[in-house]
Amino acid sequence: MTAFSLAKRLRAGETVFSGWCMMGSPIVAETIAREGFAAVVLDAQHGLWDTGSLVAGIGAVHHAGSAPMVRVPLNDFGMVSRALDFGAEGVIAPMINTAADARQFAAAAKYPPLGERSFGPPRAMMLQGQYADITEYLAACNTGTITLAMIETPEALANVEAIAATPGIDALFIGPYDLATSLSAGKAQDINAPEVDKAIDTICAAALKADKIPGIYCRDAARALDMAKRGFRYLTIGSDFSAVRDSVAASMKTLNVARGNTKDPF
Ligand code: 3PY
Ligand code: MG
């Protein structure tokens, strides 16, 4: 497994599709990685990961040939550098609403001179390769790891250009469900609503204008392909929960049809 493979692919202009894991299970994350995703996100904001499972999950994804990523909990900038120390190649921070939030995120993720990340990455170096010259490693980390600032509120939308322009922020990542919820003041969660659709293009354009990577969470592969056509280059697809649920629901449907049971439990 090449070190910093995700950053290399994204910085070379590739469009990258990523798995998404919430169950807190390293073996599930590894199973998803082995299907061929370039990256797999371990979601520690809404998912069930604790510190121990995160450490094991990052190793499992890396050894399966995919780039491990972590979404950290809300405002948990300590976990940003911790996830990178565990060997994550990318960190997603939710609800980055202002340029000040973005600066705090970048400070935790990047070593000086770009940020203020504290040094202590023995596990990450084990996964990413030892560097004879430590300053070479510091520089390699700053370009080799990816910071994704989540845009998911009207406030973030108003500040999107300043967030995108923040040094040390590599990508904008849209959370369409929170964006739809907040743009409708909690009245709906319609990710296809015209104001959400317009915001999606605005955020993509802001990322491109600042020479940053536009990214978005997608519920399935069809939507990810649509979003890639609209310019997004980092796309996550569904989750381990939805994959298991959809697969079991499909089996139940087949069984119910075969038995003439029209009452679909789902
Ligand atoms: C959102 O859609 O709000 C997300 O955070 C996706 O996980
Ligand atoms: Mg969200």
Side-chain angles (χ1 to χ4, degrees), residues 206-224:
L208 294 174
K209 185 176 166 202
D211 205 17
K212 305 290 171 77
I213 299 147
I216 186 164
Y217 177 92
C218 301
R219 68 173 169 248
D220 56 35
R223 185 167 161 95

Side-chain angles (χ1 to χ4, degrees), residues 17-146:
F17 297 93
S18 174
W20 188 279
C21 292
M22 301 181 75
M23 287 179 165
S25 163
I27 192 111
V28 170
E30 180 181 332
T31 305
I32 288 177
R34 287 192 187 281
E35 287 305 309
F37 279 120
V40 176
V41 177
L42 312 184
D43 178 9
Q45 182 194 15
H46 294 302
L48 308 178
W49 297 95
D50 60 19
T51 306
S53 57
L54 213 48
V55 172
I58 287 169
V61 169
H62 175 95
H63 292 305
S66 185
M69 317 262 296
V70 172
R71 175 161 75 172
V72 298
L74 189 64
N75 292 330
D76 194 344
F77 297 110
M79 186 48 95
V80 169
S81 44
R82 214 157 151 61
L84 294 169
D85 285 349
F86 297 162
E89 293 191 23
V91 182
I92 301 175
M95 301 275 179
I96 297 297
N97 290 330
T98 63
D101 290 348
R103 280 195 298 275
Q104 234 188 319
F105 177 27
K110 304 292 185 183
Y111 289 120
L114 204 45
E116 300 164 12
R117 180 177 166 194
S118 171
F119 187 76
R123 172 58 171 161
M125 290 181 87
M126 209 183 282
L127 297 179
Q128 290 151 2
Q130 302 289 332
Y131 284 68
D133 178 349
I134 210 66
T135 55
E136 211 181 283
Y137 179 71
L138 298 179
C141 271
N142 278 357
T143 49
T145 56
I146 299 283

Side-chain angles (χ1 to χ4, degrees), residues 248-257 260-266:
V248 174
S251 297
M252 289 305 292
K253 197 167 184 177
T254 305
L255 292 174
N256 285 335
V257 168
N261 178 2
T262 50
K263 190 170 161 286
D264 189 335
F266 300 95

Side-chain angles (χ1 to χ4, degrees), residues 20 45-46 71 94-95 150-152 174-179:
W20 188 279
Q45 182 194 15
H46 294 302
R71 175 161 75 172
M95 301 275 179
M150 285 199 78
I151 306 295
E152 35 188 1
I174 300 178
Y177 293 94
D178 273 318
L179 194 57

